[in-house]
Amino acid sequence: MPVVVGAIVVLLALAAFFVLAARRRGHPSDDIDSFRRQIDALSPEARRQTSERMKPSDGRSTDDDGANGT
Amino acid sequence: MMVPMARDLAIDLGTANTLVYMKGRGIVLNEPSVIALNRQTGEVLATGREAWQMIGRTPGYIVAVRPLRGGAITDFEITERMIRLLLQRVGVSRFTRPKVVICVPSAITEVERRAVTDAARRAGAADANLIEQPMAAAIGADLPIDEPVGNMVIDIGGGTSETAVISLGGIVALEAVRVGSFDIDAAIQNYVRREHGIAIGERTAEEIKVAIGSADPTPDENQAEVRGRDLMTGLPKTVILTPEEVRYAIEDVVSSIVASVIRCLSKAPPELSQDFLVRGMYLVGGGGLLRGLAERIERETEVPVKMSNVPLEAVVLGAGHVIEHYEALKGMFMGARR
Ligand SMILES: Nc1ncnc2c1ncn2[C@@H]1O[C@H](COP(=O)(O)OP(=O)(O)O)[C@@H](O)[C@H]1O
Ligand SMILES: [Mg+2]
């Protein structure tokens, strides 16, 4: 029994180590992701949503109002 | 009890006009950046349109000022009070803590930037960040700044003119000068005083600019009747002003604005400058509405100039887009990467 518990502890420690290592190495790809997200948020499709919200100028947009949290 | 949550805000703190965009709503406030104070007690008597109507018409104890006039913060305390009042009016308090994105002239200093964000936080903002005005203008004018192409935007405001080249969501070249449409008003005031011997106020000068001012000869030009105070007799007097005279009066200001656009063009990397020939440059800001200005810039740079269809709102709409996509776009805040 103690052998099994020991093995589990060692495995957990190894797993934690790999997760941390992967995180550290994963940094550049995080940067790539956030750059992609930024560029996507500036795309014409993303901007169309903002400008569509502008059209009903009295502020009574039918569908997406309120969906954005109050 | 539920605490009411204010919606996040985007603010265009312009030298002439202040606009506020509320997340999920659109533009909720649009008024002159003017504040009227009691000179003796320092009390705020009015803001916005009401204060604007007082310019040049106040008794001695009231002063109506534009705190951001020259694209710089001349009085931190007044600016802070203006920001507080502005946020209060759109429903911000210590209990509703929205995120706020503010556009300021790019020429303002580090200290001035901190003053603006601190004022917004003290007024109740949970977080306050700044973005460059030309960047917001480019987003609001719908330029394809997500692509690796040269996008050029010229924003001519009251106290500042900013030209920027933007590609892939970042500023490649920027030229900001503290010269703008207010200087055109001042040039008209000076000219009328010098050549016709009458004194006019800045609001009258602005009316003349909008009515008959131009940067290049245009078809169907009209004269204007101008009423002011005769400097010799002190009595009210009317004179006639021709469009040629106004063009002559404002020439120095116009040419320094055009020169700043040319300086920005010359800072752009060659790969991007060829894009301008095809895509053109986009003109935004109230000052850009001056008759013949787009034609004049086009003639001197040989690059096509296009007028944005939302010249006065482009900046706040761009900042509004950033507030709508806050998480994805927070890397664009001033100082985020540096
Ligand atoms: N039709 C017009 N012709 C010339 N100038 C104009 C016109 N409309 C507005 N302006 C000028 O534009 C300036 C305001 O532009 P704006 O973009 O709101 O400035 P800012 O962004 O600095 O607050 C004012 O000086 C105003 O006189
Ligand atoms: Mg502006």
Side-chain angles (χ1 to χ4, degrees):
Chain A
M1 267 304 139
V3 182
V4 177
V5 172
I8 289 174
V9 168
V10 168
L11 278 177
L12 280 178
L14 276 176
F17 173 79
F18 278 114
V19 165
L20 283 178
R23 264 231 192 125
R24 190 160 297 166
R25 262 189 292 118
H27 232 95
S29 86
D30 282 357
D31 287 352
I32 292 174
D33 282 353
S34 72
F35 181 67
R36 266 266 64 87
R37 272 202 303 280
Q38 178 174 325
I39 294 298
D40 286 347
L42 292 172
S43 68
E45 299 81 65
R47 276 185 284 167
R48 204 163 302 132
Q49 295 169 3
T50 308
S51 49
E52 250 145 45
R53 190 165 290 128
M54 296 309 307
K55 269 175 204 144
S57 52
D58 57 354
R60 264 172 296 169
S61 49
T62 42
D63 44 10
D64 60 354
D65 204 1
N68 285 284
T70 19
Chain B
M1 200 183 80
M2 279 270 290
V3 176
M5 279 271 287
R7 287 171 181 244
D8 297 340
L9 302 167
I11 302 174
D12 169 11
L13 207 54
T15 61
N17 294 298
T18 299
L19 288 86
V20 179
Y21 176 105
M22 189 176 279
K23 185 175 174 181
R25 290 261 172 88
I27 297 170
V28 292
L29 184 142
N30 179 356
E31 61 175 33
S33 312
V34 184
I35 187 165
L37 302 158
N38 181 321
R39 227 188 261 275
Q40 274 120 41
T41 63
E43 280 174 89
V44 175
L45 303 175
T47 59
R49 197 157 312 279
E50 218 186 321
W52 176 81
Q53 277 164 349
M54 297 180 184
I55 292 180
R57 292 168 180 253
T58 52
Y61 77 98
I62 299 176
V63 56
V65 292
R66 299 182 191 268
L68 300 160
R69 181 171 191 113
I73 296 176
T74 41
D75 188 323
F76 286 89
E77 210 210 306
I78 294 181
T79 308
E80 172 168 350
R81 279 208 273 171
M82 199 167 83
I83 293 172
R84 271 168 180 265
L85 286 167
L86 186 70
L87 291 179
Q88 265 171 30
R89 282 177 46 205
V90 294
V92 176
S93 71
R94 265 175 298 138
F95 306 107
T96 65
R97 301 182 60 80
K99 292 198 268 297
V100 179
V101 170
I102 306 172
C103 288
V104 287
S106 347
I108 78 169
T109 63
E110 191 63 42
V111 178
E112 292 171 325
R113 287 176 201 175
R114 188 124 3 95
V116 170
T117 51
D118 285 353
R121 290 204 186 93
R122 262 190 299 242
D127 198 8
N129 283 288
L130 304 179
I131 67 167
E132 273 115 345
Q133 216 156 259
M135 175 63 85
I139 300 173
D142 258 336
L143 306 192
I145 61 164
D146 56 321
E147 292 170 29
V149 297
N151 293 286
M152 189 147 164
V153 58
I154 307 166
D155 180 356
I156 301 172
T160 55
S161 299
E162 307 196 11
T163 308
V165 176
I166 297 170
S167 173
L168 278 175
I171 291 185
V172 179
L174 172 72
E175 183 69 31
V177 289
R178 287 177 176 176
V179 177
S181 210
F182 290 152
D183 300 285
I184 294 182
D185 305 342
I188 293 173
Q189 260 181 310
N190 289 338
Y191 175 86
V192 173
R193 171 180 277 269
R194 206 175 55 233
E195 301 297 320
H196 294 277
I198 70 168
I200 58 170
E202 70 177 76
R203 282 178 45 192
T204 304
E206 182 184 10
E207 280 166 22
I208 297 170
K209 168 184 71 182
V210 173
I212 66 163
S214 59
D216 236 16
T218 54
D220 56 288
E221 297 193 317
N222 296 308
Q223 303 190 324
E225 247 183 30
V226 177
R227 280 177 276 274
R229 177 170 50 82
D230 190 316
L231 290 168
M232 300 297 284
T233 65
L235 301 173
K237 185 182 167 187
T238 305
V239 297
I240 300 290
L241 218 54
T242 67
E244 292 80 18
E245 280 184 283
V246 178
R247 227 167 11 250
Y248 169 79
I250 68 176
E251 175 53 30
D252 284 352
V253 183
V254 170
S255 59
S256 67
I257 292 173
V258 176
S260 80
V261 173
I262 293 172
R263 280 198 302 278
C264 188
L265 275 169
S266 67
K267 284 181 183 171
E271 294 287 359
L272 296 182
S273 43
Q274 17 170 329
D275 294 341
F276 308 145
L277 292 173
V278 186
R279 315 182 80 95
M281 316 188 262
Y282 282 78
L283 191 54
V284 305
L289 294 172
L290 180 71
R291 247 179 251 97
L293 185 58
E295 292 80 356
R296 170 76 179 266
I297 297 173
E298 197 165 299
R299 181 161 61 77
E300 292 201 23
T301 60
E302 292 174 27
V303 175
V305 176
K306 296 172 183 167
M307 196 71 212
S308 155
N309 49 9
V310 282
L312 294 164
E313 298 88 10
V315 169
V316 82
L317 291 180
H321 182 77
V322 173
I323 211 77
E324 298 283 355
H325 297 264
Y326 193 85
E327 282 306 316
L329 296 179
K330 63 186 181 193
M332 299 177 88
F333 296 146
M334 271 166 128
R337 278 153 309 196
R338 275 141 287 180

